[in-house]
Amino acid sequence: MRFRLIAVATSLLLVAAACSGGDSGSDDQESTTGESQTVVQVSPLTGMEFGGEPPVNPVFVVKVENSKSGAPQYGVNQADLVVEEMVEGGITRLAAFYHTTLPDKIGHVRSLRGTDAGIAAPVGAHVVASGGAGPAYDAVGAAGLTTYTEDNNAPGFSTDSAKKRPYNRLVDLASLASQAAATEIPGPYFQFTPVGEEQPASAGARPVTSGTVVFSRSHTTTFGFADGGWTRTNGFAAPGEEFVANNLVVVFAPERDAGYRDPAGNPVPETIFQGSGAGVVVIGGQAIDVTWSKESLGSTLSFTDAAGEPVTIPAGKTWLELVSQDRGSATFQ
């Protein structure tokens, strides 16, 4: 397992490159300065320091239904990172990432999409889903990612007796993880602000307290900012289980036809999460118009502001909106 390490010296902050690790991912970066150092390992999803040894389990990303039919959502509040992606019929799904906490009840779990390859690849996440069409399995497999699906008899799945298929699938991630082999984490997901450094000022930053992200004519997600965190104001989480984000990111990316239709006959879209384009990064109560860049499906996501200066993501939980550049929009005020 590989982690990006932060080496903090008495009078010098060193950001160490990702290094090859052993099975536990706990190898230290050697000092070449001669100064006394403490090596601190940080999460590839949040940039936050681990309280002790990093988890030995892989990063998991669980596909979660994001509609009234699948409400309430369970366990999303315990994720380290959440990505909202477009699927067919103008609706969205969530891709919830787990590494530091493995909930025993996440749901309601839905199926793979080709878009998941670009979403999961930066941290080599193992994708957990109810099932998927052949092209979706092919896209995720071509990215070198492991999948755990109920269709393929993965452990940990159960039925919510209060719901009907296909909206009644739950997963016990702790149970599933007990049978998953540790793998390398190429991460980090974002270019994080180094531990101990102040967040740099960015050109065009403006104060905001609310946001509206339009995915399609059928779906809009709204957010509010309070007590230092961003939460959905029209979400589907169980009471008290809404995900609270320190940072909110919107990425406008190309979209194409995935080449197949869902059981209802709707064409399935696929978002191409690589390349570059326009976006918005919201850090606390400040919104910054940015250009995003992601060289390959598995590259770290980076940003620059209107002046061409890097915009790094401060340590904390992040909600990422992956929106079509052709039919999506975002407004913050």
Side-chain angles (χ1 to χ4, degrees):
M1 191 179 294
R2 295 188 296 172
F3 288 92
R4 186 166 296 265
L5 307 181
I6 306 298
V8 183
T10 303
S11 60
L12 179 66
L13 182 71
L14 299 176
V15 181
C19 62
S20 295
D23 291 340
S24 67
S26 60
D27 286 0
D28 291 345
Q29 178 77 14
E30 293 184 4
S31 168
T32 59
T33 66
E35 297 187 57
S36 174
Q37 295 188 8
T38 301
V39 175
V40 179
Q41 293 185 334
V42 300
S43 165
L45 297 174
T46 68
M48 299 174 67
E49 298 179 16
F50 290 118
E53 288 295 311
V56 296
N57 54 267
V59 173
F60 294 96
V61 58
V62 182
K63 298 300 302 298
V64 178
E65 174 68 21
N66 193 43
S67 72
K68 289 182 180 179
S69 297
Q73 294 165 340
Y74 297 111
V76 174
N77 61 315
Q78 298 181 67
D80 294 307
L81 163 70
V82 176
V83 178
E84 185 173 9
E85 65 182 284
M86 175 63 74
V87 293
E88 62 278 3
I91 64 173
T92 65
R93 295 262 169 84
L94 303 185
F97 287 76
Y98 300 88
H99 188 220
T100 54
T101 301
L102 302 178
D104 59 10
K105 183 180 181 181
I106 303 173
H108 295 89
V109 184
R110 294 302 305 275
S111 54
L112 292 169
R113 294 294 181 275
T115 303
D116 298 329
I119 290 174
V123 288
H126 293 203
V127 186
V128 181
S130 58
Y137 276 109
D138 291 343
V140 173
L145 301 171
T146 299
T147 58
Y148 292 94
T149 65
E150 187 178 33
D151 283 358
N152 289 331
N153 300 313
F157 283 90
S158 64
T159 299
D160 181 350
S161 60
K163 308 289 290 185
K164 295 181 179 180
R165 278 189 180 271
Y167 307 107
N168 65 349
R169 313 320 294 159
L170 300 170
V171 69
D172 179 341
L173 197 53
S175 175
L176 189 155
S178 68
Q179 300 186 43
T183 55
E184 285 192 345
I185 299 176
Y189 206 91
F190 304 102
Q191 287 189 345
F192 290 108
T193 305
V195 174
E197 288 191 7
E198 291 187 6
Q199 185 67 26
S202 295
R206 60 192 186 278
V208 293
T209 57
S210 64
T212 300
V213 181
V214 177
F215 281 84
S216 70
R217 288 180 295 179
S218 304
H219 182 80
T220 295
T221 302
T222 56
F223 295 91
F225 181 67
D227 300 323
W230 288 91
T231 56
R232 293 179 296 177
T233 55
N234 64 342
F236 300 103
E241 294 191 21
E242 188 58 73
F243 182 85
V244 181
N246 306 101
N247 314 300
L248 184 57
V249 173
V250 182
V251 165
F252 295 101
E255 186 180 271
R256 64 189 176 197
D257 191 317
Y260 65 99
R261 294 177 178 266
D262 73 0
N266 297 303
V268 176
E270 182 176 336
T271 306
I272 306 168
F273 197 15
Q274 69 179 97
S276 63
V280 183
V281 169
V282 186
I283 298 170
Q286 297 286 316
I288 308 159
D289 292 324
V290 299
T291 297
W292 65 270
S293 180
K294 190 167 177 275
E295 184 175 347
S296 68
L297 289 180
S299 297
T300 292
L301 183 60
S302 61
F303 308 95
T304 54
D305 64 18
E309 295 297 320
V311 176
T312 54
I313 303 298
K317 293 190 174 186
T318 300
W319 183 291
L320 193 159
E321 299 282 74
L322 185 55
V323 184
S324 166
Q325 66 183 18
D326 297 319
R327 54 175 166 162
S329 65
T331 304
F332 290 91
Q333 55 191 17

